[in-house]
């Protein structure tokens, strides 16, 4: 088969994929929750990733190509039910749908035809209608019953089309050894009437449909197999579509060109070795693709691995050579003799894929620990994830996906100041939800003009709600350590309270900023209660949240702190780090109010845990006429806090034994998070 035939078929399938995905709900999980459908088996390819892929393709369309899609929308979206059934008769006959379901299928096709163009204008109205159409959900459920599978969802179609074993992956493999220029020329010169295309399409679909009974088989392939729908049935339906709707061919060509512009990269150079040789030890002929040459020691501490990134569909994978990474470790250690806490950065450069996967082998993890490398940082597209490797003893894989903005904007009216990222870490092949040592994420900011940068906060998506985590803004980035992964984004978190007028002059701004960072909360009904006292438990939470010290693996043994109490994880971290001590070894006294001297001491210990070189001036206490009232055990802490202007007195007094108010706590927390 000629490359021209292969290319034309691949672009046809890609356009079908885009249309099919657009026509089904992007989140079958959302549908499941809405209609009570089981989602026990999640697809490997993300729904948001598919949407991002389609949008990226459409962004490459020219005006003429846009008009080609518009023409297809107008023609295909207006075919009668009779014509629809004639086109897809080979498949519909095997489905044996009832009359009502045929009506539903026809309406879905019309909606798909509309979406094929509407996505260009970022109009998702039709998608939203389809997504919550109960008839569509019921139709999929009935097809699943007919086929004898547990469930059939939009995620399954996404996996069939875009997954590692899907149609796009198979077709991409057919053209993977050709350059972008060659592919563009072949599309422009391809014949739209080449009947041999059906042969190759049949071959490609057959490969995917064969993933039906083996372990890890595709659900759609299983459905098709069980219903006796053959590749020939699908082939004939596509031919009918092309013959019946003349605008289909130009639309396919438009999407094909846009696809290549968006996703096809120049190939790696084949090995000029002997034919038939390969590094895998198997039989058969063909050229061997060699690993691109890199220089792991060129810049100690930063290893340029951009040439080791491969992209299939919308997923990029870093393929490291263990021996080269070890060389990079050695270069870093040699350049920093005697130093500890070293970090090796793997720089992937600019990666044109929504999902980026970075596997680190067990050999790399063990070598890093043996050589004294504390962290491995992964950076691409302005994003950096720094992983403390000492906590792991197995191979790990970091997967980062840039997902739709609506993941966050649908949950809040706050202004978005970054892309939305979904992070996942596997350890020994198992997804890990919490880490003993926090992993640091450094997110690139965008669209910040006119925003209040002090109010920018990293937000975590938790059960369709946003939890604000804080973060430190540094130039065009915000950094936040995380002890667990989820979806994250940066927002301008404007928080206001209706009862802070009495403290507005000296605490208003500080309350707003600390609340924006998620370190302090209101008391309900829009109130902050600025003059209320602060308990030891409350201040532990404020301090730990403000300084980004959360760690779910921390343990505490106080008899009066229940493991299920809301403050338990914060008390555990504070106690573990020596920031706070109990009234005794067994008693924390969480409900007791905290004094100003105790608060200053906790602040001092927390700051010193992060900045051990910060200085203390003992003479700083002399400016307080009541310094003698400070308990001996608290004097060092108060001196440190006063030396660094974290706490100040009033009229020459410190008032060490006065209980601290919520407004005072907010001010001190604000100064602490801004301490340099």
């Amino acid at each position: 088969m000629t490359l021209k035939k292969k290319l034309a078929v691949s672009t046809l399938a890609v356009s079908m994929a885009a249309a099919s995905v657009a026509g089904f709900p992007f989140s079958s999980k959302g549908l499941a929750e809405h209609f009570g459908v089981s989602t026990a088996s999640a697809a490997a390819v993300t729904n948001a990733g598919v949407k991002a892929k389609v949008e990226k393709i459409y962004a490459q369309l020219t005006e003429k190509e846009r008009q080609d899609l518009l023409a297809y929308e107008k023609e295909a979206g207006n075919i009668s039910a009779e014509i629809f059934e004639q086109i897809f008769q080979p498949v519909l006959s095997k489905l044996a749908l009832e009359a009502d379901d045929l009506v539903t299928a026809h309406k879905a096709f019309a909606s798909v035809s509309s979406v094929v163009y509407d996505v260009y204008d970022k109009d998702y109205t039709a998608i939203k209608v389809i997504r919550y159409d109960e008839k569509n959900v019921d139709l999929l459920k009935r097809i699943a019953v007919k086929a004898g599978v547990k469930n059939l969802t939009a995620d399954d179609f996404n996996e069939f089309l875009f997954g590692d074993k899907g149609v796009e992956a198979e077709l991409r493999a057919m053209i993977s050894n050709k350059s972008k220029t060659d592919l563009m020329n072949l599309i422009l010169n391809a014949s739209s009437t080449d009947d041999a295309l059906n042969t190759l399409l049949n071959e490609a679909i057959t490969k995917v449909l064969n993933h039906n009974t083996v372990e890890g088989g595709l659900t759609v392939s299983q459905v098709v197999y069980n219903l006796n729908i053959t590749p020939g049935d699908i082939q004939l339906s596509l031919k009918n579509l092309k013959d019946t709707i003349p605008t289909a061919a130009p639309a396919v060509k438009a999407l094909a060109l846009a696809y290549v512009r968006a996703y096809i990269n120049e190939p790696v150079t084949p090995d000029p070795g002997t034919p038939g040789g390969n590094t895998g030890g198997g039989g058969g002929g063909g050229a061997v693709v060699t690993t691109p040459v890199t220089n792991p020691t060129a810049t100690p501490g930063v290893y340029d691995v951009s040439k080791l990134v491969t992209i299939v569909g919308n997923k990029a994978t870093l393929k490291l050579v263990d021996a080269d990474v070890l060389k990079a470790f050695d270069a870093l250690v040699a350049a920093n003799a005697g130093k500890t806490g070293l970090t090796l950065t793997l720089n992937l450069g600019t990666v044109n894929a929504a999902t980026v996967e970075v596997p680190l082998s067990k050999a790399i993890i063990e070598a890093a620990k043996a050589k004294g490398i504390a962290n491995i940082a992964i950076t691409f597209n302005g994003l950096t994830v720094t992983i403390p490797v000492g906590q792991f003893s197995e191979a790990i894989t970091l997967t980062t996906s840039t997902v739709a903005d609506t993941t966050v904007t649908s949950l809040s009216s706050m202004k978005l100041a970054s892309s939305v990222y979904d992070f996942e870490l596997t350890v020994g092949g198992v997804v890990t939800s919490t880490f003993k040592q926090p992993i640091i994420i450094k997110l690139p900011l965008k669209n910040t003009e006119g925003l209040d940068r002090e109010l920018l906060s990293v937000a975590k998506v938790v059960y369709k709600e946003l939890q604000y985590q804080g973060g430190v803004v540094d130039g065009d980035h915000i950094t936040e350590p995380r002890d667990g992964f989820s979806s994250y984004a940066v927002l301008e978190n404007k928080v206001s309270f209706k009862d802070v007028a009495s403290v507005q002059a000296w605490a208003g701004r500080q309350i707003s900023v600390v609340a924006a960072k998620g370190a302090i909360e209101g008391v309900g009904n829009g109130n902050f209660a600025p003059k209320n006292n602060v308990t030891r438990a409350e201040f532990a939470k404020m301090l730990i949240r403000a300084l980004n010290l959360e760690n779910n693996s921390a343990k505490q043994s106080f008899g009066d702190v229940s493991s299920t109490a809301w403050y338990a994880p914060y008390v555990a971290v504070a106690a573990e780090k020596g920031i706070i001590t109990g009234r005794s070894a067994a008693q924390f006294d969480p409900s007791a109010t905290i004094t100003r001297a105790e608060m200053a001491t906790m602040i001092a210990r927390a700051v010193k845990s992060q900045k051990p070189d910060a200085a203390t001036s003992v003479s700083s206490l002399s400016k307080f006429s009541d310094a003698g009232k400070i308990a001996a055990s608290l004097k060092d802490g108060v001196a440190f806090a006063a030396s660094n202007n974290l706490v100040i007195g009033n009229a020459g007094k410190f008032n060490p034994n006065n209980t601290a108010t919520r407004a005072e706590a907010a001010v001190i927390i604000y100064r602490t998070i801004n301490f340099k």
Side-chain angles (χ1 to χ4, degrees), residues 350-494:
T350 300
V351 180
N352 294 315
T355 298
V356 179
E357 183 179 84
V358 179
L360 301 176
S361 70
K362 182 175 181 179
I364 290 175
I365 298 298
E366 293 301 328
K369 294 192 291 184
K371 295 175 184 291
I373 307 297
N375 309 294
I376 295 178
I378 295 126
T379 184
F380 59 91
N381 300 347
L383 169 73
T384 302
V385 180
T386 302
I387 304 173
V389 294
Q391 61 189 307
F392 303 116
S393 57
E394 299 288 340
I396 65 175
T397 298
L398 172 71
T399 303
T400 305
S401 297
T402 305
V403 299
D405 288 353
T406 52
T407 305
V408 167
T409 57
S410 63
L411 305 177
S412 173
S413 61
M414 300 297 181
K415 293 181 180 178
L416 190 64
S418 75
S419 296
V420 183
Y421 301 97
D422 185 77
F423 298 96
E424 180 182 274
L425 189 79
T426 62
V427 180
V430 179
V431 176
T432 300
S433 58
T434 59
F435 322 124
K436 293 181 180 178
Q437 293 177 270
I439 291 177
I440 299 173
I441 58 174
K442 184 177 181 180
L443 308 180
L445 301 174
K446 67 177 185 180
N447 303 326
T448 59
E449 185 177 353
L451 300 187
D452 188 333
R453 293 172 67 86
E454 269 202 309
L455 302 183
L456 296 181
S457 181
V458 174
K460 176 183 180 181
V461 179
V462 181
Y463 300 117
K464 293 187 176 181
E465 292 185 354
L466 297 182
Q467 291 183 356
Y468 289 94
Q469 308 295 320
V472 178
V473 176
D474 182 11
D476 294 328
H477 294 82
I478 188 168
T479 302
E480 167 72 8
R482 299 306 311 142
D483 62 348
F485 274 165
S486 179
S487 295
Y488 292 93
V490 182
L491 293 94
E492 181 191 36
N493 186 23
K494 289 186 175 181

Side-chain angles (χ1 to χ4, degrees), residues 84 138 285 584 669:
F84 167 76
D138 288 341
S584 67
I669 292 290

Side-chain angles (χ1 to χ4, degrees), residues 332-342 371-372:
L332 174 59
V333 172
N336 295 273
K339 295 182 180 179
T340 59
L342 299 177
K371 295 175 184 291

Side-chain angles (χ1 to χ4, degrees), residues 296-297 299-301 322-337 342 344 367-368 370-373:
T297 63
T299 306
D322 289 359
D324 286 341
V325 177
L326 269 56
K327 291 177 183 177
F329 287 158
D330 290 337
L332 174 59
V333 172
N336 295 273
L342 299 177
L344 175 68
K371 295 175 184 291
I373 307 297

Side-chain angles (χ1 to χ4, degrees), residues 234-301:
I234 297 174
Q235 173 194 14
L236 183 55
S237 294
L238 295 179
K239 183 178 184 300
N240 292 343
L241 179 67
K242 180 186 68 175
D243 293 343
T244 307
I245 304 178
T247 54
V252 167
K253 187 173 183 179
L255 288 172
L257 290 168
Y259 182 90
V260 172
R261 294 184 195 116
Y263 286 110
I264 302 299
N265 295 326
E266 297 297 322
V268 296
T269 304
D271 190 329
T274 58
N278 63 65
T279 58
V288 180
V289 176
T290 60
T291 301
V293 177
T294 62
N295 185 352
T297 63
T299 306

Side-chain angles (χ1 to χ4, degrees), residues 501-569:
S502 62
V503 299
Q504 183 65 38
W506 60 273
R509 174 64 177 179
Q510 291 87 336
I511 291 171
S512 295
V513 172
V514 175
K517 298 294 186 180
I520 197 167
E521 299 168 342
V523 296
N525 196 31
N527 292 318
F528 181 73
K531 296 183 179 180
N532 282 12
N533 292 330
V534 179
T535 67
R536 286 164 55 82
E538 287 172 336
F539 194 70
K541 177 181 178 180
M542 293 177 193
L543 191 54
I544 297 306
R545 288 289 298 271
L547 296 181
N548 301 308
L549 296 175
E550 293 104 319
N551 186 348
N552 286 323
S553 65
K555 305 296 181 184
Q556 56 81 29
S557 57
F558 296 116
D560 58 350
V561 177
S562 169
S563 61
T564 59
W566 61 263
Y567 49 82

